[in-house]
Amino acid sequence: MKVILKTIFLPCMALLFSCQQKNEVKKSTVVFSSSTSIDSIQKQKELTSLSDDNLALFKQLYPIAILQPESKNSFKKYGIEFSGICYACDLAEITLRKDVFHFVNVCDPNEIYQIREFTTNSSDAGITIKTPHNEFIFKRVEKEPIFELKIKGDSLLLKNKRIAKYYTQKALIDQFEVHDCGDFQG
C-alpha cells in the first residue's frame, strides 16, 4: 500500500510543482514583455541617478563668512567664521540627501534638526529646496562651489544651529583661511 501511494503521490507532486513554476514564469514574462514598461523603468532609473548627481554638490555644506571682501581669491575672501566655531559654537552645517535635509551643529554632530518633507529644483546657478513652510535658495556666488543661502517663509528657531549666509562643500574647507581656536582666549 505504501509503495502504491509513493508511486502515485510523487509524480502528482512533481506535476503540481512543475505547473506552479510554469505559471510563475508566465506571470513574470507577461509583466516584463512590454517594451513600454521596460522604457519607463529605465527612465525612472535615469531620473533617480540624475537627481543624485544634482544633489552631490550639496551633499555636505559647511558654513563660511566673508573675511576679506576685496580679495579676488575665493579661498582668501571667504573663510571660517571664528565666533560661530570657536566662541559660540552655534553654526549649522547642512547635509542634503534625497530623503532628508539636516541642520547639524558644527561642534556636536548629535545635535540635529531634520526635514523630511521637501522638494528640490537644481540648476547651474544653485538649488532651491522647498518645504511646507520654507524655501531655501542656495545661489552660487563664485566660480568655486560657494553658495549664498537665502531663506523665504517662516522663521526658523533652531537652538545651537545658526544658519550662515554662505556655505561651501565641507571637503573644501581646508583650502580656506582657518583660525586656530586654541589661540582664542575668550
Side-chain angles (χ1 to χ4, degrees):
M1 183 71 157
K2 286 183 182 181
V3 174
I4 295 174
L5 282 176
K6 279 185 182 179
T7 310
I8 295 173
F9 184 74
L10 288 177
C12 287
M13 288 300 291
L15 182 61
L16 180 65
F17 184 74
S18 172
C19 290
Q20 189 174 16
Q21 282 183 333
K22 286 180 184 175
N23 285 341
E24 287 177 6
V25 170
K26 285 181 186 176
K27 287 178 188 174
S28 63
T29 303
V30 171
V31 170
F32 292 107
S33 67
S34 169
S35 63
T36 57
S37 67
I38 291 172
D39 288 342
S40 66
I41 290 170
Q42 287 174 340
K43 284 180 184 176
Q44 187 176 7
K45 283 182 182 178
E46 287 172 11
L47 288 173
T48 303
S49 65
L50 189 63
S51 74
D52 286 345
D53 291 343
N54 290 342
L55 296 180
L57 192 59
F58 304 93
K59 184 177 178 181
Q60 194 166 17
L61 298 175
Y62 202 80
I64 56 176
I66 294 179
L67 301 180
Q68 299 177 18
E70 69 283 347
S71 180
K72 300 290 182 207
N73 180 337
S74 297
F75 294 110
K76 291 186 180 193
K77 180 178 181 178
Y78 299 89
I80 306 302
E81 184 189 308
F82 184 75
S83 68
I85 305 258
C86 298
Y87 180 66
C89 205
D90 66 346
L91 284 173
E93 182 178 330
I94 295 174
T95 60
L96 178 62
R97 308 285 185 275
K98 285 189 308 184
D99 60 342
V100 69
F101 180 38
H102 283 150
F103 296 92
V104 182
N105 180 283
V106 293
C107 299
D108 184 1
N110 295 317
E111 194 168 318
I112 300 170
Y113 178 80
Q114 71 178 357
I115 300 172
R116 290 203 172 270
E117 190 177 334
F118 65 90
T119 59
T120 60
N121 184 12
S122 62
S123 68
D124 291 339
I127 192 168
T128 301
I129 302 165
K130 291 184 181 182
T131 71
H133 304 286
N134 298 95
E135 190 172 329
F136 301 88
I137 303 160
F138 290 89
K139 180 183 174 191
R140 190 176 208 144
V141 292
E142 299 288 341
K143 179 181 67 168
E144 292 78 15
I146 296 172
F147 305 95
E148 181 179 10
L149 173 59
K150 291 186 179 177
I151 302 172
K152 294 180 181 178
D154 297 346
S155 62
L156 288 171
L157 301 174
L158 304 176
K159 183 178 178 186
N160 292 325
K161 290 173 279 305
R162 181 170 49 94
I163 299 171
K165 184 173 183 177
Y166 298 99
Y167 281 87
T168 190
Q169 292 176 318
K170 188 169 185 175
L172 296 177
I173 210 65
D174 291 340
Q175 296 180 34
F176 290 89
E177 295 291 320
V178 179
H179 295 282
D180 181 8
C181 292
D183 293 340
F184 180 61
Q185 298 297 318

